[in-house]
Amino acid sequence: MRAQILAAVLTLVPARAGAAPHAVMDEARELYSRGYISRAAELYEKAAENFPESAEPSLNAAVLYRQLGEFKPAERMLQAALKIEPESAEVRAELGWAYYQQGLWPQARAEFETLLKETPDYPPALLGAAAASMRLSRSQESLSHFKRLQEVYPRFSAIDRLLGEAHFTARNYRLAARDFINALGADFTAVETRLPLATAYEELGLYDLAWEQLTRFLRAGPWNSKARSAAAALAKKLAMRPRRLIAPPEPPASGPFEAVAPGNRVPSVRIGLMTGAWGHPRRHTAVALSSSGAFNVIGSKTGKVYARVPGGEKWTARRKGAATFEIAGPKGLRFGPFRFALRLAPEEPALSAFLLEIFDHAGDSASAVSRGEYRGIIEIKPASGDGLEIANVVDVEQYLLGVVPAEMPHTWPPEALKAQAVIARSEALYLRQYARMHRGLGYHLCDGPHCQVYRGVRAETPETFFAVEQTRGEVLRYANRSIHTLYHANCGGYTQDSGGLSGWSRAPYLKGRLDGDAAVSSPPDSPWRLHQWLQSRPQTHCNQAEFGSPAAFRWLRIVPFQALQEKLDKQLRIGRLRAILPLARSPSGHVNEILIRGSRRSEIIRKEQQIRGLIGLGSIRSTLFEIEAHRNPGGQISEFWIYGGGWGHGVGLCQTGAAGMAKAGGRNYLEILNFYYHGAEIQKWDY
């Protein structure tokens, strides 16, 4: 069955007999969007014969042939396009990259250098010339190009990463380490950069720092045998104990915070605290807590009040026995063991907050793994198996005070913050009412990005407090029903339809659209246009350097072949990695299917989170990407270059786009919400 699927994906789709030239182009575009890459390339080549005056069909065919690893047809199509557009910098750079991708570095360098003489500072040519000269050991030439690229594209992680490689090759390990640190500063998700940084530190004799980088990498890639072996070898050279190298966070100082207006009719939500991947609870050995005001320790089953605790007094809950826990205070006070949850309820909720320290070892402060401060009620219960689980019961308006600043920087435009407050409120109430993903775990929402990031009192700011208060009770509804107000950090220039993702339902208010003015930016509706779209910075709402990291809009990940092969074989049992090929795409350009071809077996991946988690050593930022397999002169794949855009699933509101609309476009929060949620309306809860 799998062989039949792969054959259909790559070849077996007939063209309509006697189709007109424009119809052939339309059919090729449709096949491309559905993942029939080989047949689409052939049809684009046929269209090139029928449109001898246009370079676009040849360019579309060339892009697809390069994705398929068929370089001779790709070169042929690019040469055909150059005959039509001989002065095109884009086409000439593309030919240079076709050479580079094959490991033909001298030809690539010559093409790029010739282009730079005529079009100085053209970024694709600068990057190609720098990379090709580095592979040819022309150190000074490559360093000069990389430094110029840094001026043209400041804070672009991959450029810093490649400059670090160039300095490392020149044995300037100190500068190499600096460049790798800059690369991680520009894009912390590029965990693969920690590997060469660790190597640079080791060359400098900084064994503690090298071990720390390998340890941080292994958190994302525990399957990597080379990193594990290197970390084990370095552990013998450490000057400090490993646990002290990665220090726990400093405890936040408890202090005054903004009081909130009481509201007996405000709905409450139950939030799982300190949750892990997919919002599942982490199990902790102990929880130390205190409150800024007096609170009562109450049995959740019986309602019995076990103790009244004055403000500032520290109590600790610990696991006790196979399925119970106890809670203890100063002067030998101790209650338990308890099989069911305890509720810690403040006497003055509007003026109180709990300060929590979560421990994963014996309960001393050196082993604290998480700390936070929260309004409302704290619940503690024994986890099934081992450890403790913690939840926070809080009214939705107080909950938002810790969500809005965690999801959107408080320095962003006020109208964007108001839009964020409305959708965070709408999402919380929607998940509370309809979603069942965490019901079995005992809470409505988790405190991580699986639901909404919630950081409690310590995240609160006056700006976000004002945004929540100004929109108090306001929610988005469609056809008088609560809606799933999905949002993400950055769409990369085009949001995608919710129904385009595998396993997601189609919602009429979650339609994909260009995140900007169609008169300024064109949608990426063909292989060539998508290729250019991802390697440029189109003028869209979310192309805003002042709002967040530049890596949220456009990014490039350079992933070593051997490391990615080991990861994919461990997880999918594919054998030796042969190819990675994006198949079906949304109109936005997001990948909705990807083929991973191995020597033992091949796999088609359709789920958005799984695609992002597999294609990279850590998770990549989004599925809006294209991937190139770069070969060495012997023809073997040495690394993958992943050109991408955006951060997140791309559905619903684009947070950076909202900030751009508010700042550059002068839009208010109602206009922003209307732009991203088609046909939805604001309604106000009467608290």
Side-chain angles (χ1 to χ4, degrees), residues 298-436:
I298 306 169
S300 62
K301 282 285 185 180
T302 63
K304 179 179 178 180
V305 177
Y306 289 93
R308 180 187 181 277
V309 180
E313 192 168 281
K314 189 172 183 178
W315 284 56
T316 303
R318 300 178 188 274
R319 186 68 184 235
K320 185 78 170 178
T324 61
F325 75 104
E326 66 178 18
I327 188 166
K331 302 176 183 178
L333 285 174
R334 190 179 303 271
F335 298 97
F338 299 102
R339 293 178 55 222
F340 301 105
L342 283 180
R343 291 170 62 88
L344 312 178
E347 292 186 349
E348 295 185 82
L351 301 174
S352 300
F354 286 97
L355 180 63
L356 304 184
E357 289 185 85
I358 314 300
F359 301 93
D360 64 350
H361 294 293
D364 61 306
S365 62
S367 65
V369 293
S370 300
R371 296 177 172 93
E373 194 167 2
Y374 302 94
R375 300 174 185 267
I377 295 169
I378 297 296
E379 289 188 353
I380 304 172
K381 69 176 183 179
S384 59
D386 191 21
L388 299 172
E389 294 177 7
I390 313 156
N392 180 201
V393 182
V394 61
D395 81 47
V396 72
E397 297 297 328
Q398 294 186 29
Y399 164 71
L400 291 178
L401 298 177
V403 170
V404 175
E407 287 285 0
M408 182 175 283
H410 70 96
T411 55
W412 284 19
E415 294 302 311
L417 293 174
K418 291 179 188 177
Q420 180 64 57
V422 172
I423 60 175
R425 182 184 295 109
S426 303
E427 184 72 351
L429 294 174
Y430 175 87
L431 294 176
R432 176 182 181 270
Q433 183 174 1
Y434 295 111
R436 301 186 180 277

Side-chain angles (χ1 to χ4, degrees), residues 437-510:
M437 52 192 174
H438 295 320
R439 293 280 177 90
L441 302 173
Y443 42 86
H444 300 121
L445 299 94
C446 65
D447 63 349
H450 181 255
C451 293
Q452 299 187 117
V453 179
Y454 170 57
R455 295 191 180 134
V457 171
R458 292 298 100 189
E460 295 177 14
T461 71
E463 295 86 354
T464 53
F465 190 98
F466 180 78
V468 173
E469 285 296 296
Q470 286 292 299
T471 63
R472 183 177 175 86
E474 292 184 0
V475 295
L476 276 176
R477 295 171 71 85
Y478 183 88
N480 208 34
R481 291 177 61 86
S482 297
I483 65 172
H484 200 2
T485 49
L486 293 165
Y487 58 92
H488 54 278
N490 191 303
C491 68
Y494 204 117
T495 66
Q496 66 170 329
D497 193 294
S498 64
L501 285 79
S502 177
W504 291 43
S505 59
R506 190 176 301 277
Y509 51 86
L510 293 173

